Amino acid sequence: MFLDVYTDILGYLFWILLFIAMLSPWLSMRSLQHARLRLIEFMERKYGSRVITMIHRQEKIGLLGVPIYRYIDIEDSEAIIRAIRTTPPNMPIMLILHTPGGLVLAASQIAKALKAHPAKKVVVVPHYAMSGGTLIALAADEIIMDPNAVLGPLDPQLGGPGGTYFPAPSILRAVEIKGKDKVDDQTLILADMAEKAIRQVKELVIELIRDKVGEERAQQIADRLVSGYYTHDYPITVEELREMGLKVSIDVPPEVYELMMLYPQARTNRPGIEYLPYPIVPRPTTRETRSEIVFP
């Protein structure tokens, strides 16, 4: 009799623990979400701007902590355009970007919608905004970046055979070197698409920055970002952006860093990076202490 009761209790405990384990990631996600919304509300009151975030990280939100890999997609463009549309015309917008890039279509929609907003637009990049993220940043009146943050080139990437992607400028360069009569029809088709993609992205970049830097400088910047001057993963620093003629500040609001802490990366099996929140100040030796007392 006692053994049966003991077995039943263990069975109940097992199911309770299993339920808690399944519920814990969801509760953790909800807690983080509420903390983010509270901080965003505080920032809007402090800076008098509509704060919108597009932060693509890998959050551990599912059963067994399966990470979700994010990039700029149509759902992002739909949500951000809705946020911009519901922002009063006289209210500035602060868009916080942290993204590896994504679909050109989605990034273009976001950039054009941001550009069309009548009030001031500021894009804040605490770490990186590559590819499509860079395109969106160019739509802002001002780009604010951490001194170590980077943007990225805008050369279009075209899908090739086997699911691989090739930079559009490199496709054209390969055809130019080899000769049109020595490549197959598929490569010629890719080259035609590459030429059109480069022209389209250049025109969009010029449209976004013409009013800030002038027509001639806008064409120079567009050519440098789109035409294969860099590899697609090249990190473009604050100094390089300023040399191009873009207005970039490094006065990142401190709340942005707090907000980033509320978007935790998924844990992986690679070695962790750990440090104390603040460096420990070395304690003075006995001699140093006496010296300070004698010579104030």
Side-chain angles (χ1 to χ4, degrees):
M1 180 68 177
F2 178 78
L3 183 60
D4 292 339
V5 173
Y6 183 73
T7 303
D8 290 340
I9 293 174
L10 287 179
Y12 287 131
L13 285 175
F14 170 78
W15 289 111
I16 291 172
L17 291 174
L18 180 61
F19 177 75
I20 293 174
M22 295 177 64
L23 194 61
S24 179
W26 182 84
L27 292 174
S28 177
M29 181 194 69
R30 295 292 296 178
S31 176
L32 285 172
Q33 187 178 35
H34 285 306
R36 293 195 291 256
L37 292 177
R38 287 196 299 269
L39 184 53
I40 289 173
E41 180 182 1
F42 173 80
M43 293 175 65
E44 288 192 347
R45 294 180 185 277
K46 179 177 179 179
Y47 297 104
S49 300
R50 181 73 182 274
V51 177
I52 305 171
T53 68
M54 185 166 70
I55 299 176
H56 292 148
R57 302 186 78 159
Q58 302 166 20
E59 292 190 77
K60 188 186 290 186
I61 61 174
L63 182 64
L64 303 179
V66 177
I68 296 178
Y69 296 87
R70 295 299 312 278
Y71 58 89
I72 303 173
D73 57 20
I74 296 301
E75 290 186 4
D76 290 325
S77 64
E78 182 180 359
I80 291 181
I81 290 173
R82 185 186 306 115
I84 294 173
R85 185 173 59 246
T86 57
T87 302
N90 61 341
M91 178 177 286
I93 289 178
M94 177 187 294
L95 176 59
I96 302 172
L97 282 181
H98 177 84
T99 178
L103 299 178
V104 175
L105 171 60
S108 300
Q109 287 181 298
I110 296 171
K112 289 183 177 181
L114 186 64
K115 179 73 176 180
H117 184 69
K120 183 178 181 181
K121 289 85 61 178
V122 175
V123 164
V124 183
V125 182
H127 185 55
Y128 79 148
M130 306 296 283
S131 190
T134 299
L135 187 66
I136 296 170
L138 294 177
D141 298 313
E142 181 183 6
I143 303 173
I144 303 178
M145 299 171 59
D146 180 87
N148 298 303
V150 296
L151 300 184
L154 294 168
D155 49 319
Q157 306 295 298
L158 300 182
T164 56
Y165 283 84
F166 301 106
S170 297
I171 296 173
L172 294 180
R173 180 64 175 161
V175 173
E176 178 185 350
I177 293 174
K178 199 169 185 180
K180 293 182 178 180
D181 56 333
K182 295 182 180 179
V183 297
D184 56 25
D185 291 346
Q186 187 177 44
T187 304
L188 288 176
I189 293 172
L190 281 175
D192 180 66
M193 293 172 59
E195 186 176 2
K196 293 174 182 176
I198 291 173
R199 184 182 71 249
Q200 290 165 183
V201 177
K202 273 187 180 181
E203 291 174 353
L204 178 56
V205 171
I206 292 172
E207 177 186 343
L208 294 175
I209 64 175
R210 180 191 289 119
D211 60 332
K212 296 187 282 285
V213 299
E215 182 71 31
E216 183 178 354
R217 179 60 63 89
Q219 291 183 1
Q220 294 173 354
I221 294 173
D223 186 66
R224 185 160 184 170
L225 292 177
V226 180
S227 298
Y229 183 86
Y230 305 104
T231 59
H232 192 63
D233 60 348
Y234 179 81
I236 304 177
T237 63
V238 172
E239 291 75 15
E240 289 180 272
L241 293 167
R242 287 173 173 172
E243 289 174 2
M244 291 183 194
L246 294 171
K247 183 180 179 181
V248 181
S249 168
I250 57 173
D251 298 323
V252 177
E255 295 83 5
V256 172
Y257 297 114
E258 296 179 31
L259 186 63
M260 291 299 296
M261 294 293 291
L262 299 175
Y263 288 86
Q265 286 277 18
R267 295 179 183 176
T268 63
N269 292 326
R270 65 181 176 83
I273 299 173
E274 298 178 334
Y275 54 90
L276 294 174
Y278 300 98
I280 301 300
V281 178
R283 295 183 178 179
T285 62
T286 304
R287 180 175 299 178
E288 289 173 342
T289 305
R290 291 176 179 174
S291 175
E292 289 175 2
I293 296 173
V294 176
F295 303 102

